[in-house]
């Protein structure tokens, strides 16, 4: 549709519920969908997965999803690697002869935000919320505010209404389409018995940014080894025995505490 056709359809209530759209967001041949005041956040659980969580987010490995509300003067803090499902501000009420396709705004890619393309079926109605997944693939914390322009929506008028309009139950779960399996993670007892190399690999495999942490821990281990070798050499030579022992003791304690805190906290994230 062109801008004129979009405005006529919007005023006629063929696309959105009246009062939920803004004519300022009509462009040459598209409408800009904005971030609303709610978003769904997948929350890690202690066991199992909820089919409802997978169906509404497409993300496995979570027990449930929490819907959060954001005020006008607040923002959503999106951490590196985090994904949320944003509710758009507009309330759909699509006619049976209209179809819409959405594409992310290019400016979001410049901020390393991965926003999914999507579509709106004919008949998508007021009882349904249009959600869009947003993932922060940068190494920065990004703040998202309600009203943020997210998607360009292109609306197409079909030659006739579809025989069967949108039904919520027609949505399929990823389980029906994509096979996947959980990564076997070591428990606390296994972690305590792991060699240094094994702990480093566990950090790398478990979290975003794990390589950085693994390198930091590896550097600590290298420095500890150098101190140990220097201390042992000093003891063998009979010189600076007390100094060598004190240095060795301090480094062993520091490394043990730092390594334990980093590895355990990272694996539990």
């Amino acid at each position: 549709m062109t801008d004129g056709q979009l405005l006529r359809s919007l005023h006629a209530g063929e696309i959105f519920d009246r009062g939920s759209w803004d004519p300022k967001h009509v462009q040459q041949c598209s409408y800009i969908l904005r971030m609303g005041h709610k978003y769904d956040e997948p929350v890690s659980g202690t066991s199992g997965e909820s089919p409802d969580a997978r169906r509404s987010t497409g993300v496995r490995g979570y027990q449930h999803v929490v819907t959060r509300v954001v005020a006008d003067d607040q923002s959503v803090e999106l951490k590196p690697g985090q994904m949320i499902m944003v509710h758009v501000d507009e309330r759909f009420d699509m006619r049976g002869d209209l179809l819409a396709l959405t594409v992310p705004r290019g400016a979001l890619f410049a901020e390393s935000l991965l926003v999914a393309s999507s579509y709106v079926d004919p008949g998508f109605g007021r009882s349904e919320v249009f959600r869009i997944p947003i993932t922060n693939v940068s190494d920065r914390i990004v703040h998202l505010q309600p009203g943020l322009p997210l998607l360009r929506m292109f609306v197409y008028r079909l030659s006739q209404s579809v025989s069967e309009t949108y039904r919520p139950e027609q949505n399929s779960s990823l389980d029906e389409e994509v096979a996947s399996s959980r990564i076997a993670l070591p428990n606390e007892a296994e972690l305590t018995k792991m060699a240094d190399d094994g702990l480093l690999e566990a950090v790398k495999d478990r979290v975003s940014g794990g390589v950085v942490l693994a390198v930091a821990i590896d550097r600590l281990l290298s420095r500890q080894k150098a101190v140990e070798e220097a201390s042992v050499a000093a003891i063998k030579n009979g010189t600076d025995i007390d100094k060598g022992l004190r240095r060795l003791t301090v480094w062993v304690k520091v490394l043990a505490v730092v390594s334990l805190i980093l590895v355990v906290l990272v694996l539990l994230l």
Side-chain angles (χ1 to χ4, degrees):
M1 288 186 178
T2 64
D3 50 358
Q5 292 171 320
L6 277 171
L7 282 171
R8 285 193 292 272
S9 292
L10 289 168
H11 283 294
E14 298 178 346
I15 302 174
F16 299 128
D17 189 14
R18 287 184 172 86
S20 70
W21 60 279
D22 190 334
K24 292 186 299 184
H25 294 279
V26 176
Q27 298 197 338
Q28 289 81 2
C29 58
S30 65
Y31 181 90
I32 301 296
L33 293 175
R34 302 159 292 169
M35 175 178 167
H37 292 78
K38 293 183 179 181
Y39 68 96
D40 297 336
E41 181 180 8
V43 179
S44 298
T46 55
S47 63
E49 291 179 331
S50 164
D52 291 337
R54 290 198 302 271
R55 186 177 302 112
S56 49
T57 65
V59 176
R60 299 166 186 258
Y62 294 93
Q63 188 173 11
H64 60 281
V65 172
V66 176
T67 299
R68 305 191 189 279
V69 179
V70 189
D72 285 330
D73 58 348
Q74 295 178 327
S75 64
V76 179
E77 183 180 271
L78 200 59
K79 298 177 181 177
Q82 185 181 6
M83 190 280 295
I84 59 174
M85 298 286 291
V86 171
H87 298 204
V88 300
D89 206 27
E90 291 77 10
R91 300 187 302 273
F92 278 91
D93 190 12
M94 291 282 282
R95 278 184 30 160
D97 62 344
L98 294 181
L99 167 71
L101 302 177
T102 65
V103 296
R105 294 180 59 242
L108 299 176
F109 286 101
E111 294 297 327
S112 298
L113 291 174
L114 184 61
V115 183
S117 299
S118 190
Y119 57 89
V120 186
D121 283 314
F124 189 84
R126 300 180 187 179
S127 61
E128 295 298 317
V129 177
F130 189 76
R131 301 174 176 88
I132 196 73
I134 302 179
T135 304
N136 180 7
V137 296
S138 74
D139 58 356
R140 308 180 309 278
I141 295 177
V142 179
H143 296 271
L144 307 176
Q145 289 187 307
L148 175 69
L150 295 175
L151 304 161
R152 294 189 65 179
M153 182 181 72
F154 301 90
V155 182
Y156 301 87
R157 188 177 298 278
L158 308 176
S159 58
Q160 61 183 21
S161 295
V162 296
S163 57
E164 186 176 357
T165 56
Y166 171 82
R167 292 177 294 106
E169 57 270 21
Q170 74 189 41
N171 285 344
S172 60
S173 168
L174 275 181
D175 286 345
E176 303 170 11
E177 303 166 6
V178 180
S180 69
S181 59
R182 288 181 177 273
I183 298 175
L185 297 176
N187 56 36
E188 185 176 351
E190 292 170 334
L191 285 172
T192 57
K193 297 178 182 178
M194 274 189 180
D196 295 339
D197 291 344
L199 286 174
L200 293 177
E201 289 302 318
V203 172
K204 291 178 184 178
D205 294 339
R206 182 65 180 94
V207 297
S208 174
V211 174
V212 177
L213 286 172
V215 170
I217 296 171
D218 189 41
R219 187 170 296 174
L220 282 174
L221 290 171
S222 299
R223 289 177 179 173
Q224 180 214 11
K225 185 177 180 181
V227 171
E228 288 177 349
E229 291 174 349
S231 300
V232 170
I235 293 172
K236 286 182 178 180
N237 293 332
T239 60
D240 296 329
I241 294 178
D242 291 338
K243 183 178 180 181
L245 288 174
R246 287 197 302 270
R247 183 186 299 173
L248 176 60
T249 301
V250 170
W251 267 99
V252 168
K253 288 181 179 179
V254 170
L255 179 68
V257 173
V258 172
S259 298
L260 181 61
I261 292 175
L262 283 176
V263 173
V264 172
L265 288 180
V266 166
L267 288 173
L268 293 178
L269 288 178

